[in-house]
Amino acid sequence: MDKKKLKLYFILGTVNVAGRDPLVVLEEALKGGVTCFQLREKGPGALEGEALRSFAEACKELCHRYNVPFIVNDDVALALEVKADGVHIGQEDGDISAVRRQIGPSMLLGVSTHNVEEALAAAETGADYIGIGPIYSTKTKTDTQPVIGPEMVRRVASLLPGLPIVGIGGLSERKARAVIQAGASGIAVISAIAGQDDPLEAARRLKGAVRLSLTGV
Ligand SMILES: Nc1nc(C(F)(F)F)ncc1COP(=O)(O)OP(=O)(O)O
Ligand SMILES: [Mg+2]
């Protein structure tokens, strides 16, 4: 996977937009410069069935209008059904090599990791990128592993220099630098964009913070 596509990885589900139109929030984020998008539809009131499928299609169409990869979280069947650009799975979402067999070699496969062992296993089974987190505490995902801080990114990046890494968990404009300097190619956020009054401006500022950190300024 092109590491540049991980600079600002926006993750969204209909439960994260506080009553706003999720497609409007997504387009604002795309205009603000997000470089990758993940549909993460879960929690009370999450879309299902035909409503979920057509929402996923609409998100994919929007992402492709901005030349941004469209990734589906957890739901491999949905990812295949809507011909997503990739799928993202966690440690509890099934066997990584089985998912790779299901999606084939060309679809992107992202894997959540929390320690070096999980990162090595993900790399060995052909993950195109890994998420490492939660870097900081987050209110968005209630069932996270303990907070691990940017240090884990540094350890994994030094062991697997060729594997694209994105940090996730409680990240913001102020907290982006440490993760990038530790070796991540970018940051993944939900509430830092979806929870803001102006998602476009929030995405623009986050992108700027990541860019500055990547140039080592
Ligand atoms: N969704 C995610 N996306 C990323 C990404 F790398 F894309 F930033 N990293 C980590 C997660 C967390 O994934 P998971 O552990 O399966 O929990 P959930 O399915 O609740 O998100
Ligand atoms: Mg998952």
Side-chain angles (χ1 to χ4, degrees), residues 91 113-120 130 132-133 145 148 152 155-156:
Q91 294 296 318
T113 64
H114 181 72
N115 56 47
V116 169
E117 296 70 31
E118 290 172 355
L120 289 169
I130 59 171
I132 296 183
Q145 298 272 2
I148 49 176
M152 185 58 70
R155 286 179 59 197
V156 172

Side-chain angles (χ1 to χ4, degrees), residues 9 38 40 42 73-74 88 90 93 112 129 131 141 166 188:
Y9 192 158
Q38 178 189 130
R40 177 177 179 270
K42 52 178 34 180
N73 180 53
D74 287 1
H88 185 92
D93 296 323
S112 307
Y129 73 86
K141 178 173 162 64
V166 62

Side-chain angles (χ1 to χ4, degrees), residues 4-174:
K4 293 196 290 297
K5 284 293 185 186
L6 288 177
K7 277 185 187 155
L8 182 55
Y9 192 158
F10 182 38
I11 302 176
L12 184 71
T14 56
V15 300
N16 305 118
V17 290
R20 286 183 293 191
D21 178 341
L23 291 174
V24 168
V25 174
L26 173 54
E27 182 146 26
E28 290 299 288
L30 290 163
K31 285 177 186 166
V34 300
T35 54
C36 194
F37 175 71
Q38 178 189 130
L39 173 57
R40 177 177 179 270
E41 187 64 6
K42 52 178 34 180
L47 297 178
E48 295 175 330
E50 182 48 33
L52 173 57
R53 202 193 57 72
S54 55
F55 179 63
E57 292 277 9
C59 290
K60 177 184 158 189
E61 192 274 326
L62 255 183
C63 287
H64 288 179
R65 219 186 295 163
Y66 291 82
N67 191 27
V68 164
F70 171 69
I71 310 287
V72 173
N73 180 53
D74 287 1
D75 192 338
V76 177
L78 177 66
L80 290 167
E81 193 181 354
V82 301
K83 296 186 174 49
D85 298 302
V87 66
H88 185 92
I89 57 166
Q91 294 296 318
E92 290 76 43
D93 296 323
D95 173 64
I96 304 170
S97 43
V99 172
R100 175 50 87 191
R101 280 195 301 276
Q102 271 183 283
I103 67 174
S106 53
M107 256 175 89
L108 292 172
L109 174 59
V111 178
S112 307
T113 64
H114 181 72
N115 56 47
V116 169
E117 296 70 31
E118 290 172 355
L120 289 169
E124 273 151 35
T125 38
D128 293 291
Y129 73 86
I130 59 171
I132 296 183
I135 305 293
Y136 302 109
S137 64
T138 173
K139 290 187 288 301
T140 308
K141 178 173 162 64
T142 49
D143 58 337
T144 64
Q145 298 272 2
V147 167
I148 49 176
E151 204 37 49
M152 185 58 70
V153 173
R154 192 181 311 281
R155 286 179 59 197
V156 172
S158 62
L159 285 169
L160 297 163
L163 180 66
I165 297 169
V166 62
I168 187 168
L171 293 172
S172 62
E173 186 182 348
R174 190 171 53 81

